[in-house]
Amino acid sequence: MTETSAIVPDSEHKGLIAALPLPWRHYAMLARFDRPIGWWLLFWPCVWGLFLAGATARWSMVAWMLLGSVAMRGAGCVYNDIVDARIDARVARTASRPIASGAVSKRAAWLWIMLLMAMGLVVLLQLRWEAQVVALFSLLLVLAYPFMKRITGWPQAWLGLVFTWGAPTAWVEATGFDRLAPLGPLYLGCWAWCMGYDTIYACQDREDDALVGIGSSALSFGRHVRAGVTALYALALASWAGAVWLVRPDPLALLALAPVAVHLGWQALTLRPDDGDGALARFRANRFAGLLMAAACYVIGLAR
C-alpha cells in the first residue's frame, strides 16, 4: 500500500462536525467547516495586507475578514465540488464527499452556496467602496479555478491568484488606491507561498491525479518537487522582503521576516514527496507560517 492510498478519506471527521445530525453534517462537510486550515490560509493574507499597510488597530476589520474567509472559502469549496463531482468520485480520498457520493444534490448545493454568499455580502458591505471593487474581481478567478486542472499542469498557479486575493483587498481597504507600490511584491510573495504549500498538499494525490488525467504542480515538477517548493518559498520571502523595504527601508525591519523564513525553510528542506502524512503535516503547518508573517507585518506596520 502506498502512502497516498493510506490517506484518510475526506468524509472522516471528528469533533463538533461529527456530532451534527444529518443532513447538517453533509452541508458542514461540503463547506469544509471540519477542515479549518482552508480558511486560515485564506484569512492570513488579509491580515498581512491590513497590518503592513499600517492599519494595525483595526481589529474589528480583522474579525470581519475572518468571517468572510470562512464564508467564502466554504462557498468556493461547494462550487468546486459541484464542478468536480465526477472527478471526485474516481479519487479514493474524495469519493465520499457529499456531492460525489450523492448525499447532497447539486440543486441543494447551489442553495447552500447562495446562503454562504449572502454571509460574504454582509462582510463586503463593511469595506470601503474601493476594496469592494477589488474583492468582487476575485469572483472571476474563483469561477475559473476548478477548470484549471483540466487544461494545465499547473493549476496551483491559478489557485495562488485566487487564495491570496485577500492581500490586495485588505491593502486597498487600509489605503484606498494610494501607496500601491508595496502591494505588488506583497501579492507576488503571497502567490508563491500559496503555490508552494498547495504543491505540498498535492503530493498526497499524485498517483490518483495521474490515473484520472488531471494536472498538478506536484506531477509537473516530477522528481524536483522539493526543489520547486524551495524555489517558490524563496521567491515568497524575497518578494515579502521587497514589500517590507518599500514600506520601511530599514535593514532591521527585514529581521521581522526571520521566523517565517526559518519555518518555510524547514517545510521545504524536510519535505518527502512520497510521504503523504508528512506532506499533509507540512501543508497544515502553514497556518503557523501565516501567524508568523502576520506578527512580522504587525511589528513593521506599527513602527511606520
Side-chain angles (χ1 to χ4, degrees):
M1 178 181 290
T2 65
E3 294 286 345
T4 302
S5 62
I7 294 170
V8 176
D10 275 6
S11 62
E12 295 189 17
H13 47 276
K14 300 177 181 179
L16 294 176
I17 302 301
L20 289 174
L22 295 176
W24 292 2
R25 191 187 314 162
H26 291 314
Y27 289 103
M29 290 168 55
L30 197 54
R32 310 292 196 276
F33 289 160
D34 56 334
R35 297 173 186 270
I37 180 61
W39 50 258
W40 277 118
L41 296 176
L42 191 63
F43 168 66
W44 283 127
C46 301
V47 178
W48 304 344
L50 205 62
F51 285 174
L52 194 61
T56 53
R58 296 189 61 185
W59 292 103
S60 61
M61 182 53 63
V62 170
W64 279 116
M65 289 185 168
L66 178 58
L67 177 60
S69 297
V70 175
M72 297 311 295
R73 185 261 186 154
C77 287
V78 178
Y79 172 68
N80 189 79
D81 282 8
I82 291 172
V83 175
D84 281 353
R86 291 185 179 180
I87 292 176
D88 286 347
R90 298 168 61 191
V91 176
R93 185 175 60 83
T94 59
S96 54
R97 285 179 175 174
I99 297 177
S101 66
V104 174
S105 69
K106 289 187 177 182
R107 181 177 180 275
W110 280 114
L111 293 174
W112 183 211
I113 286 180
M114 292 174 63
L115 180 58
L116 291 167
M117 292 289 288
M119 295 171 58
L121 177 61
V122 173
V123 177
L124 183 71
L125 294 176
Q126 311 309 310
L127 306 178
R128 63 195 295 171
W129 74 266
E130 298 97 327
Q132 291 176 1
V133 171
V134 174
L136 288 172
F137 269 102
S138 68
L139 296 179
L140 299 176
L141 299 173
V142 172
L143 290 173
Y145 170 67
F147 302 98
M148 290 298 146
K149 64 176 69 75
R150 296 164 169 82
I151 62 177
T152 176
W154 303 94
Q156 282 73 19
W158 192 268
L159 182 70
L161 300 176
V162 176
F163 230 66
T164 61
W165 197 258
T169 300
W171 184 278
V172 172
E173 169 62 25
T175 69
F177 290 131
D178 299 325
R179 297 189 294 116
L180 293 178
L183 179 56
L186 174 64
Y187 185 49
L188 175 60
C190 292
W191 173 85
W193 173 65
C194 179
M195 188 170 176
Y197 71 61
D198 206 61
T199 297
I200 293 175
Y201 183 79
C203 288
Q204 301 174 92
D205 295 329
R206 289 197 299 178
E207 293 180 7
D208 284 334
D209 287 347
L211 288 172
V212 175
I214 57 177
S216 160
S217 57
L219 288 174
S220 296
F221 276 127
R223 295 177 299 168
H224 307 292
V225 171
R226 185 187 296 173
V229 170
T230 301
L232 287 165
Y233 280 170
L235 175 59
L237 291 165
S239 300
W240 290 337
V244 168
W245 190 263
L246 290 173
V247 169
R248 187 181 173 200
D250 181 348
L252 289 177
L254 298 178
L255 290 178
L257 296 175
V260 69
V262 170
H263 183 80
L264 294 181
W266 164 77
Q267 285 188 39
L269 296 178
T270 63
L271 175 65
R272 293 172 54 201
D274 293 330
D275 177 7
D277 290 338
L280 182 60
R282 280 153 184 77
F283 165 74
R284 287 177 172 168
N286 278 283
R287 75 184 74 189
F288 185 58
L291 176 61
L292 293 174
M293 181 62 179
C297 292
Y298 181 81
V299 170
I300 296 163
L302 197 64
R304 292 182 61 180

PDB file of all heavy atoms in Angstrom, residues 158-176:
ATOM      1  N   TRP A 158      -2.891  29.127 -10.624  1.00  0.00           N
ATOM      2  CA  TRP A 158      -4.143  29.885 -10.607  1.00  0.00           C
ATOM      3  C   TRP A 158      -4.679  29.998  -9.186  1.00  0.00           C
ATOM      4  O   TRP A 158      -5.185  31.049  -8.782  1.00  0.00           O
ATOM      5  CB  TRP A 158      -5.171  29.212 -11.526  1.00  0.00           C
ATOM      6  CG  TRP A 158      -6.372  30.068 -11.802  1.00  0.00           C
ATOM      7  CD1 TRP A 158      -7.546  30.098 -11.118  1.00  0.00           C
ATOM      8  CD2 TRP A 158      -6.503  31.049 -12.839  1.00  0.00           C
ATOM      9  NE1 TRP A 158      -8.415  31.015 -11.656  1.00  0.00           N
ATOM     10  CE2 TRP A 158      -7.795  31.613 -12.720  1.00  0.00           C
ATOM     11  CE3 TRP A 158      -5.660  31.497 -13.866  1.00  0.00           C
ATOM     12  CZ2 TRP A 158      -8.263  32.605 -13.589  1.00  0.00           C
ATOM     13  CZ3 TRP A 158      -6.117  32.481 -14.720  1.00  0.00           C
ATOM     14  CH2 TRP A 158      -7.406  33.023 -14.581  1.00  0.00           C
ATOM     15  N   LEU A 159      -4.560  28.912  -8.432  1.00  0.00           N
ATOM     16  CA  LEU A 159      -5.007  28.956  -7.039  1.00  0.00           C
ATOM     17  C   LEU A 159      -4.267  30.036  -6.272  1.00  0.00           C
ATOM     18  O   LEU A 159      -4.839  30.702  -5.402  1.00  0.00           O
ATOM     19  CB  LEU A 159      -4.789  27.605  -6.361  1.00  0.00           C
ATOM     20  CG  LEU A 159      -5.283  27.526  -4.905  1.00  0.00           C
ATOM     21  CD1 LEU A 159      -6.811  27.545  -4.864  1.00  0.00           C
ATOM     22  CD2 LEU A 159      -4.745  26.284  -4.211  1.00  0.00           C
ATOM     23  N   GLY A 160      -2.976  30.231  -6.593  1.00  0.00           N
ATOM     24  CA  GLY A 160      -2.214  31.280  -5.931  1.00  0.00           C
ATOM     25  C   GLY A 160      -2.803  32.656  -6.147  1.00  0.00           C
ATOM     26  O   GLY A 160      -2.733  33.522  -5.257  1.00  0.00           O
ATOM     27  N   LEU A 161      -3.404  32.885  -7.312  1.00  0.00           N
ATOM     28  CA  LEU A 161      -4.081  34.154  -7.575  1.00  0.00           C
ATOM     29  C   LEU A 161      -5.372  34.264  -6.767  1.00  0.00           C
ATOM     30  O   LEU A 161      -5.706  35.322  -6.239  1.00  0.00           O
ATOM     31  CB  LEU A 161      -4.404  34.283  -9.067  1.00  0.00           C
ATOM     32  CG  LEU A 161      -3.230  34.254 -10.054  1.00  0.00           C
ATOM     33  CD1 LEU A 161      -3.748  34.289 -11.485  1.00  0.00           C
ATOM     34  CD2 LEU A 161      -2.275  35.419  -9.796  1.00  0.00           C
ATOM     35  N   VAL A 162      -6.089  33.146  -6.673  1.00  0.00           N
ATOM     36  CA  VAL A 162      -7.402  33.132  -6.033  1.00  0.00           C
ATOM     37  C   VAL A 162      -7.295  33.236  -4.514  1.00  0.00           C
ATOM     38  O   VAL A 162      -7.940  34.078  -3.871  1.00  0.00           O
ATOM     39  CB  VAL A 162      -8.167  31.840  -6.390  1.00  0.00           C
ATOM     40  CG1 VAL A 162      -9.492  31.774  -5.645  1.00  0.00           C
ATOM     41  CG2 VAL A 162      -8.391  31.739  -7.887  1.00  0.00           C
ATOM     42  N   PHE A 163      -6.455  32.386  -3.941  1.00  0.00           N
ATOM     43  CA  PHE A 163      -6.495  32.180  -2.498  1.00  0.00           C
ATOM     44  C   PHE A 163      -5.780  33.263  -1.711  1.00  0.00           C
ATOM     45  O   PHE A 163      -5.826  33.276  -0.477  1.00  0.00           O
ATOM     46  CB  PHE A 163      -5.908  30.799  -2.154  1.00  0.00           C
ATOM     47  CG  PHE A 163      -6.796  29.989  -1.257  1.00  0.00           C
ATOM     48  CD1 PHE A 163      -8.025  29.551  -1.704  1.00  0.00           C
ATOM     49  CD2 PHE A 163      -6.410  29.671   0.035  1.00  0.00           C
ATOM     50  CE1 PHE A 163      -8.860  28.804  -0.890  1.00  0.00           C
ATOM     51  CE2 PHE A 163      -7.238  28.924   0.866  1.00  0.00           C
ATOM     52  CZ  PHE A 163      -8.461  28.499   0.407  1.00  0.00           C
ATOM     53  N   THR A 164      -5.079  34.161  -2.401  1.00  0.00           N
ATOM     54  CA  THR A 164      -4.364  35.228  -1.702  1.00  0.00           C
ATOM     55  C   THR A 164      -4.924  36.606  -2.059  1.00  0.00           C
ATOM     56  O   THR A 164      -4.296  37.621  -1.782  1.00  0.00           O
ATOM     57  CB  THR A 164      -2.863  35.175  -2.039  1.00  0.00           C
ATOM     58  OG1 THR A 164      -2.681  35.357  -3.451  1.00  0.00           O
ATOM     59  CG2 THR A 164      -2.266  33.837  -1.636  1.00  0.00           C
ATOM     60  N   TRP A 165      -6.121  36.621  -2.656  1.00  0.00           N
ATOM     61  CA  TRP A 165      -6.722  37.886  -3.070  1.00  0.00           C
ATOM     62  C   TRP A 165      -7.075  38.769  -1.877  1.00  0.00           C
ATOM     63  O   TRP A 165      -7.299  39.978  -2.020  1.00  0.00           O
ATOM     64  CB  TRP A 165      -7.962  37.623  -3.926  1.00  0.00           C
ATOM     65  CG  TRP A 165      -8.407  38.815  -4.715  1.00  0.00           C
ATOM     66  CD1 TRP A 165      -9.445  39.656  -4.435  1.00  0.00           C
ATOM     67  CD2 TRP A 165      -7.825  39.304  -5.931  1.00  0.00           C
ATOM     68  NE1 TRP A 165      -9.550  40.637  -5.395  1.00  0.00           N
ATOM     69  CE2 TRP A 165      -8.562  40.438  -6.326  1.00  0.00           C
ATOM     70  CE3 TRP A 165      -6.743  38.890  -6.714  1.00  0.00           C
ATOM     71  CZ2 TRP A 165      -8.263  41.167  -7.470  1.00  0.00           C
ATOM     72  CZ3 TRP A 165      -6.442  39.608  -7.856  1.00  0.00           C
ATOM     73  CH2 TRP A 165      -7.189  40.737  -8.219  1.00  0.00           C
ATOM     74  N   GLY A 166      -7.104  38.197  -0.706  1.00  0.00           N
ATOM     75  CA  GLY A 166      -7.357  38.991   0.486  1.00  0.00           C
ATOM     76  C   GLY A 166      -6.292  40.040   0.729  1.00  0.00           C
ATOM     77  O   GLY A 166      -6.574  41.087   1.341  1.00  0.00           O
ATOM     78  N   ALA A 167      -5.057  39.795   0.269  1.00  0.00           N
ATOM     79  CA  ALA A 167      -3.982  40.775   0.478  1.00  0.00           C
ATOM     80  C   ALA A 167      -4.268  42.091  -0.242  1.00  0.00           C
ATOM     81  O   ALA A 167      -4.238  43.157   0.387  1.00  0.00           O
ATOM     82  CB  ALA A 167      -2.638  40.179   0.057  1.00  0.00           C
ATOM     83  N   PRO A 168      -4.548  42.089  -1.565  1.00  0.00           N
ATOM     84  CA  PRO A 168      -4.890  43.361  -2.199  1.00  0.00           C
ATOM     85  C   PRO A 168      -6.190  43.968  -1.691  1.00  0.00           C
ATOM     86  O   PRO A 168      -6.311  45.190  -1.584  1.00  0.00           O
ATOM     87  CB  PRO A 168      -4.977  43.013  -3.690  1.00  0.00           C
ATOM     88  CG  PRO A 168      -5.080  41.541  -3.767  1.00  0.00           C
ATOM     89  CD  PRO A 168      -4.387  41.011  -2.556  1.00  0.00           C
ATOM     90  N   THR A 169      -7.169  43.122  -1.356  1.00  0.00           N
ATOM     91  CA  THR A 169      -8.424  43.659  -0.821  1.00  0.00           C
ATOM     92  C   THR A 169      -8.173  44.404   0.488  1.00  0.00           C
ATOM     93  O   THR A 169      -8.660  45.526   0.692  1.00  0.00           O
ATOM     94  CB  THR A 169      -9.438  42.529  -0.591  1.00  0.00           C
ATOM     95  OG1 THR A 169      -9.714  41.874  -1.826  1.00  0.00           O
ATOM     96  CG2 THR A 169     -10.740  43.069  -0.017  1.00  0.00           C
ATOM     97  N   ALA A 170      -7.406  43.794   1.383  1.00  0.00           N
ATOM     98  CA  ALA A 170      -7.133  44.415   2.680  1.00  0.00           C
ATOM     99  C   ALA A 170      -6.253  45.647   2.540  1.00  0.00           C
ATOM    100  O   ALA A 170      -6.442  46.645   3.247  1.00  0.00           O
ATOM    101  CB  ALA A 170      -6.477  43.396   3.612  1.00  0.00           C
ATOM    102  N   TRP A 171      -5.270  45.580   1.640  1.00  0.00           N
ATOM    103  CA  TRP A 171      -4.396  46.742   1.437  1.00  0.00           C
ATOM    104  C   TRP A 171      -5.210  47.950   0.973  1.00  0.00           C
ATOM    105  O   TRP A 171      -5.051  49.054   1.487  1.00  0.00           O
ATOM    106  CB  TRP A 171      -3.307  46.404   0.421  1.00  0.00           C
ATOM    107  CG  TRP A 171      -2.323  47.533   0.242  1.00  0.00           C
ATOM    108  CD1 TRP A 171      -2.457  48.637  -0.542  1.00  0.00           C
ATOM    109  CD2 TRP A 171      -1.075  47.673   0.907  1.00  0.00           C
ATOM    110  NE1 TRP A 171      -1.380  49.458  -0.432  1.00  0.00           N
ATOM    111  CE2 TRP A 171      -0.505  48.890   0.460  1.00  0.00           C
ATOM    112  CE3 TRP A 171      -0.356  46.895   1.815  1.00  0.00           C
ATOM    113  CZ2 TRP A 171       0.743  49.345   0.899  1.00  0.00           C
ATOM    114  CZ3 TRP A 171       0.892  47.347   2.253  1.00  0.00           C
ATOM    115  CH2 TRP A 171       1.427  48.545   1.802  1.00  0.00           C
ATOM    116  N   VAL A 172      -6.077  47.722   0.001  1.00  0.00           N
ATOM    117  CA  VAL A 172      -6.899  48.817  -0.516  1.00  0.00           C
ATOM    118  C   VAL A 172      -7.901  49.278   0.544  1.00  0.00           C
ATOM    119  O   VAL A 172      -8.223  50.471   0.626  1.00  0.00           O
ATOM    120  CB  VAL A 172      -7.608  48.393  -1.817  1.00  0.00           C
ATOM    121  CG1 VAL A 172      -8.611  49.439  -2.277  1.00  0.00           C
ATOM    122  CG2 VAL A 172      -6.573  48.154  -2.915  1.00  0.00           C
ATOM    123  N   GLU A 173      -8.370  48.374   1.371  1.00  0.00           N
ATOM    124  CA  GLU A 173      -9.233  48.776   2.478  1.00  0.00           C
ATOM    125  C   GLU A 173      -8.508  49.755   3.406  1.00  0.00           C
ATOM    126  O   GLU A 173      -9.105  50.699   3.918  1.00  0.00           O
ATOM    127  CB  GLU A 173      -9.684  47.537   3.260  1.00  0.00           C
ATOM    128  CG  GLU A 173     -10.362  47.813   4.593  1.00  0.00           C
ATOM    129  CD  GLU A 173     -11.653  48.622   4.463  1.00  0.00           C
ATOM    130  OE1 GLU A 173     -12.295  48.587   3.387  1.00  0.00           O
ATOM    131  OE2 GLU A 173     -12.005  49.288   5.446  1.00  0.00           O
ATOM    132  N   ALA A 174      -7.218  49.519   3.603  1.00  0.00           N
ATOM    133  CA  ALA A 174      -6.450  50.365   4.516  1.00  0.00           C
ATOM    134  C   ALA A 174      -6.007  51.675   3.882  1.00  0.00           C
ATOM    135  O   ALA A 174      -5.909  52.697   4.569  1.00  0.00           O
ATOM    136  CB  ALA A 174      -5.228  49.601   5.024  1.00  0.00           C
ATOM    137  N   THR A 175      -5.733  51.675   2.578  1.00  0.00           N
ATOM    138  CA  THR A 175      -5.096  52.835   1.954  1.00  0.00           C
ATOM    139  C   THR A 175      -5.880  53.441   0.801  1.00  0.00           C
ATOM    140  O   THR A 175      -5.499  54.490   0.293  1.00  0.00           O
ATOM    141  CB  THR A 175      -3.702  52.459   1.416  1.00  0.00           C
ATOM    142  OG1 THR A 175      -3.849  51.557   0.293  1.00  0.00           O
ATOM    143  CG2 THR A 175      -2.846  51.803   2.490  1.00  0.00           C
ATOM    144  N   GLY A 176      -6.966  52.786   0.352  1.00  0.00           N
ATOM    145  CA  GLY A 176      -7.580  53.208  -0.902  1.00  0.00           C
ATOM    146  C   GLY A 176      -6.667  52.828  -2.053  1.00  0.00           C
ATOM    147  O   GLY A 176      -5.923  51.842  -1.970  1.00  0.00           O
TER     148      GLY A 176
END
